[in-house]
């Protein structure tokens, strides 16, 4: 019987397979950042172990880094100490590090692909659940805990039980104005935050094949929000074109050999998935979340659901708690929800294509009174690219704040946070309680919806801008 | 890792689904560079509410968390496991755990036990009715026992063996050093490298 893409990549990395044991998998690329690595390096020190493969390891600073005044000492002493710990660990063990201020610094999941380190058919791990992003290249990429970070540093392998596979086939063509973010939010709403538990997802079908690499990364990034550790997309000409010429992409004969291998990384016709989901891409529209987990989402045209409409008791209770936390009423149109802050950035939507999309909507317009719009490029290079295209000027002229690269308000480990009760439209990946700051309320949206929301001051899509912007007076919240 | 064989303790019923790791330990706690000192951050936001279950005096010293479905979703932060352990929890029972959280828990000797929802409901009802009721989580017998309840649970044999013996994964893997070296020798030259060494 044929094999799925995930099974092929898995099989190619088995170092040891024995009855009654998990497979021992080789790891091709290990990405590190300051938050989940200090205790792992401590463990190495205590055991007197070196980093086994420095040439397959790379570190950057992202979670704690400020997005303003990056040339000054970091104000928060605890954040500063954590970054200094990473710098010391990388220096002591010889790990390549891109620190704040370095042109290759940025959100770890933006940095790997832009350097060309993330390649089809590789295994990629990082102490961060959004490592699933790299699956967009046909890599098997997943987040790990700190104990596993230490394990990979010491052995370049991980013992793992093979997950099941799930096909998510997106038929048809996404309508104009519908983005990868809308698609993945709709998928999560459909299968639920636990729907992917125990599976590697493979996104496939005509709507997926048409997506750019940036859009594919947005999709794979949020696999974890559906409960799946990893999500993958088979590599194709779009993938090869993205990689060609990047700093760490293969060259010459190696390129030819790599492409020949990469072309074999497709699910065989006769392969069987353990589960299959089919989505009609043509039926989708801009999608936003209303609750406190990424599965609590609906089309922007819908209204806040009534918890009483849920048959499942635990879903009903979750909806009740979510509405209470979010300060929303059942039946309220989602378009009437006013926001205080708009965040464009993160490993989900902080790439150049995302910034272009948001800029094209705010260009010549103004951010609504009382709304703060933060634009945070996913990496220093994305920031430079945006500046070279004049996007920073577009954002600033519209009244948005243009910042330096990092995770920023996606999780608020740096000073970029919501105040209690503040509400955001955010292009990030998690709307958990307090995720963007204690008491903060998050609505997950695409960059396009974020930009339109910034202009109108309430949840909106670009289509809402064409007819009488600013004339609408939202009721409710 | 500390070995886990069997544990008996009082329970905390947590009637919430989808408890994500941001709720278990908020991000600002992740700036610490140690594996301890996370107990005050456990469920930090919810503990500000005096009516929250962990704030009830009769729950003090409880060691078994009986949680709603999909516990530990979201971030890969192992700090969530450390926070539960630092606070004093030895085991967590739920009908479903997020994959990364489950993996992290078993690497630290925090036993995560999967039981059918109706048994989880029964354990929660028992713990709510009688805060002094004890729950036994027996890894040797692969069984959870409480007043009127006996339920078998599954755990793969390899993970169980490592937990029962408190074994360090890295040492086990390094016993296969020859396999790793052999694999490395046959990796194709087109695979990416971060630095030339």
């Amino acid at each position: 019987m044929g094999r799925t893409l995930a099974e092929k990549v898995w099989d190619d990395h088995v170092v040891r397979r024995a009855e009654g044991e998990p497979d021992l998998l080789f790891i091709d690329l290990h990405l590190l950042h300051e938050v989940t690595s200090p205790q792992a390096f401590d463990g190495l020190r205590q055991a007197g172990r070196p980093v086994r493969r420095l040439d397959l390891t790379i570190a950057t600073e992202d979670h704690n880094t400020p997005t303003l005044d990056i040339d000054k000492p970091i104000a928060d002493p605890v954040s500063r100490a954590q970054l200094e710990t990473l710098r010391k660990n990388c220096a002591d063990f010889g790990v390549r590090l891109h620190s704040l201020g370095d042109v290759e610094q940025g959100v770890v999941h933006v940095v790997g692909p832009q350097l060309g380190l993330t390649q089809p058919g590789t295994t990629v791990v990082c102490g961060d659940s959004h490592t699933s992003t790299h699956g967009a290249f046909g890599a098997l990429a997943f987040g790990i805990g700190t104990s596993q970070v230490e394990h990979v540093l010491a052995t370049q392998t991980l013992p793992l039980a093979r997950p099941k596979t799930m096909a998510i086939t997106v038929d048809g063509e996404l309508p104009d104005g519908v983005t990868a973010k809308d698609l993945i939010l709709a998928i999560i709403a459909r299968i639920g935050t636990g729907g992917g538990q125990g599976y590697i997802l493979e996104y496939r079908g005509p709507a997926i094949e048409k997506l750019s690499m940036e859009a594919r990364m947005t999709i794979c990034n949020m696999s974890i929000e559906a409960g799946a550790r990893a999500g993958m997309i088979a590599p194709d000409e779009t993938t090869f074109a993205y990689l060609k010429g990047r700093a760490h992409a293969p060259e010459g004969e190696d390129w030819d050999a790599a492409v020949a291998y990469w072309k074999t990384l497709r699910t065989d016709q006769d392969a069987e998935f353990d589960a299959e989901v089919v989505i009609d891409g043509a039926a989708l529209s801009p999608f936003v979340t209303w609750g406190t987990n990424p599965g609590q989402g609906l089309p922007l045209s819908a209204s806040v659901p009534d918890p009483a409409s849920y048959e499942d008791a635990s879903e009903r209770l979750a909806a009740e708690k979510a509405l209470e936390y979010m300060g929303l009423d059942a039946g309220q149109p989602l378009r009437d929800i006013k926001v205080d802050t708009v965040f464009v950035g993160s490993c989900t939507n902080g790439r150049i294509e995302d910034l272009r999309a948001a800029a094209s909507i705010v260009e010549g317009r103004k951010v609504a009174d009382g709304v703060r719009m933060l634009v945070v490029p996913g990496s220093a290079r994305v920031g430079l690219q945006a500046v070279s295209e004049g996007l920073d000027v577009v954002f600033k002229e519209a009244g948005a704040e243009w910042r330096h690269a990092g995770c920023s308000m996606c999780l608020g480990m740096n000073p970029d946070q919501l105040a209690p009760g503040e509400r955001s439209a955010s292009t990030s990946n998690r709307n958990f309680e307090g995720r963007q700051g204690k008491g903060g309320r998050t609505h997950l949206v695409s960059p396009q919806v974020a930009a339109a929301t910034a202009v109108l001051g309430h949840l909106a899509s670009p289509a809402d801008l064409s007819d009488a912007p600013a004339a609408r007076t939202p009721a409710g919240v | 890792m500390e070995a886990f064989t069997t544990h008996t303790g009082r329970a905390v019923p947590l009637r919430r689904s989808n408890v994500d790791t941001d709720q278990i330990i908020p991000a600002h706690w992740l700036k610490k560079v140690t594996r301890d000192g996370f107990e005050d951050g456990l469920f930090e936001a919810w503990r500000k509410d005096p009516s929250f279950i962990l704030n009830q005096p009769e729950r003090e010293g409880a060691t078994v968390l009986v949680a709603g479905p999909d516990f530990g979703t979201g971030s890969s932060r192992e700090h969530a496991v450390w926070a539960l352990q630092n606070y004093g929890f030895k085991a967590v029972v739920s009908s479903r755990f997020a994959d990364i959280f489950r993996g992290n828990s078993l690497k630290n000797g925090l036993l995560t036990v999967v039981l059918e929802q109706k048994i989880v409901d029964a354990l929660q009802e028992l713990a709510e009715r009688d805060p002094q009721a004890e729950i036994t989580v027996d890894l040797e017998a692969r069984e959870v026992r409480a007043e009127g309840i006996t339920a078998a649970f599954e755990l793969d044999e390899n993970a169980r063996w490592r937990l029962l013996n408190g074994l360090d994964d890295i040492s086990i893997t390094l016993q296969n050093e020859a396999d790793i070296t052999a694999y490395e020798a046959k990796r194709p030259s087109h695979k990416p490298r971060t630095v030339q060494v």
Side-chain angles (χ1 to χ4, degrees), chain A residues 300 335 452 456 458-469 472:
Chain A
L300 177 63
R335 271 201 172 81
L456 291 176
H458 60 86
L459 292 181
S461 75
D464 299 323
L465 291 168
S466 51
D467 45 27
R472 186 185 159 92

Side-chain angles (χ1 to χ4, degrees), chain A residues 29 61 75 90 95 99 132 178 184 217 225 239 241 255 306 349 413 421 454:
Chain A
L29 179 64
E61 301 171 355
C90 288
V95 173
S99 282
S132 57
V178 176
I184 188 63
M217 285 189 256
E225 294 354 307
T239 321
W255 172 263
D306 184 349
N349 282 124
M413 276 189 81

Side-chain angles (χ1 to χ4, degrees), chain A residues 12-13 15-16 20 22 26 28 35 38-39 49 52-57 64 76 78-79 82 96 117 119 121 127-129 143-148 150-151 157 193-194 197-198 227 229 248 254 258 293 317 321 413 430 432-433 435, chain B residues 15-18 20 22-23 27 30-35 46 48 69-70 74-79 82 96-100 104 107-108 158 168-171 173-174 176-177 179-181 183-184 187 189-195 197:
Chain A
D12 283 350
H13 290 83
V15 169
R16 174 187 160 85
F26 193 81
D28 288 317
V35 178
Q39 298 87 350
R49 291 173 177 139
R52 183 182 178 93
R53 292 296 299 263
L54 290 168
D55 59 336
L56 306 182
T57 309
N64 277 274
D76 177 350
V78 194
S79 285
Q82 190 164 55
R96 172 177 168 185
L117 283 167
Q119 294 178 15
D128 189 284
S129 60
I144 56 178
T146 298
S147 294
Q148 290 175 309
E150 184 182 342
H151 198 285
T157 65
T193 55
Q197 270 171 28
R229 260 183 129 161
H248 290 269
D254 273 345
N293 74 55
L317 182 64
K321 285 191 187 293
M413 276 189 81
R430 289 188 174 137
F432 297 154
E433 291 182 22
R435 170 82 176 179
Chain B
R15 284 201 186 260
R16 278 178 182 257
S17 59
N18 260 300
D20 58 77
D22 274 80
Q23 305 316 312
L30 274 50
K31 298 177 187 183
K32 288 168 64 67
V33 296
T34 58
R35 284 175 181 255
W46 295 343
K48 295 213 162 80
D70 295 312
S75 158
S76 64
R77 57 189 71 167
E78 199 158 312
H79 313 64
W82 303 333
R96 293 162 63 92
F97 289 98
D99 291 339
I100 302 179
N104 289 344
K107 297 221 176 296
N108 285 273
N158 189 268
D168 164 26
D169 270 7
I170 297 176
S171 306
T173 295
L174 287 176
N176 302 312
E177 165 69 36
D179 293 330
I180 302 173
T181 306
Y183 182 92
E184 287 175 325
R187 289 179 79 233
S189 64
H190 62 72
K191 291 277 186 175
R193 286 173 192 273
T194 58
V195 287
V197 287

Side-chain angles (χ1 to χ4, degrees), chain A residues 217-471:
Chain A
M217 285 189 256
T218 299
I219 302 270
C220 290
N221 172 274
M222 291 190 73
S223 301
I224 184 67
E225 294 354 307
R229 260 183 129 161
M232 302 175 80
I233 294 173
D236 59 11
E237 294 301 328
T238 304
T239 321
F240 310 153
Y242 179 95
L243 278 166
K244 182 93 180 162
R246 291 196 180 258
H248 290 269
E251 291 174 0
E253 285 178 15
D254 273 345
W255 172 263
D256 297 337
V259 171
Y261 171 58
W262 297 345
K263 285 183 172 172
T264 69
L265 299 172
R266 308 193 73 81
T267 292
D268 295 327
Q269 290 280 351
D270 57 342
E272 280 182 22
F273 290 93
D274 298 297
E276 292 196 56
V277 173
V278 179
I279 304 273
D280 179 6
L284 296 176
S285 61
F287 218 84
V288 301
T289 63
W290 51 267
T292 54
N293 74 55
Q296 291 175 323
L298 281 169
L300 177 63
S301 55
S303 296
V304 175
D306 184 349
S309 66
Y310 290 91
E311 280 182 25
D312 180 82
S314 104
E315 274 187 52
R316 187 163 58 239
L317 182 64
E320 281 168 7
K321 285 191 187 293
L323 292 199
E324 187 187 339
Y325 180 85
M326 294 294 289
L328 296 173
D329 297 317
Q332 188 177 356
L334 292 170
R335 271 201 172 81
D336 286 355
I337 297 172
K338 285 183 177 176
V339 304
D340 308 290
T341 295
V342 170
F343 172 62
V344 175
S346 84
C347 57
T348 311
N349 282 124
R351 285 170 288 268
I352 190 67
E353 193 178 273
D354 303 311
L355 301 192
R356 285 177 189 145
S360 73
I361 289 153
V362 299
E363 186 160 21
R365 296 188 165 102
K366 291 286 179 198
V367 172
D369 285 346
V371 174
R372 164 175 69 145
M373 182 183 193
L374 244 64
V375 184
V376 181
S379 70
R381 280 220 185 268
V382 168
L384 286 175
Q385 175 70 29
V387 168
S388 78
E389 296 178 20
L391 304 186
D392 59 324
V393 177
V394 170
F395 286 120
K396 284 188 264 191
E397 283 182 355
E401 296 178 39
W402 172 252
R403 298 292 188 88
H404 288 283
C407 299
S408 179
M409 197 182 268
C410 175
L411 83 170
M413 276 189 81
N414 77 349
D416 307 337
Q417 296 179 17
L418 295 180
E422 269 189 344
R423 186 181 299 279
S424 78
S426 176
T427 67
S428 56
N429 40 58
R430 289 188 174 137
N431 51 346
F432 297 154
E433 291 182 22
R435 170 82 176 179
Q436 296 191 291
K438 265 180 216 170
R441 295 158 168 170
T442 303
H443 297 274
L444 300 177
V445 300
S446 71
Q448 287 83 341
V449 167
T453 298
V455 170
L456 291 176
H458 60 86
L459 292 181
S461 75
D464 299 323
L465 291 168
S466 51
D467 45 27

Side-chain angles (χ1 to χ4, degrees), chain B residues 145-178:
Chain B
R145 294 183 297 272
E147 186 197 326
I149 300 166
T150 302
F153 65 86
E154 299 280 324
L155 185 68
D156 85 77
E157 196 44 50
N158 189 268
R160 178 170 169 265
W161 167 70
R162 284 183 285 115
L163 277 166
L164 285 172
N165 295 288
L167 297 176
D168 164 26
D169 270 7
I170 297 176
S171 306
I172 298 172
T173 295
L174 287 176
Q175 289 169 11
N176 302 312
E177 165 69 36

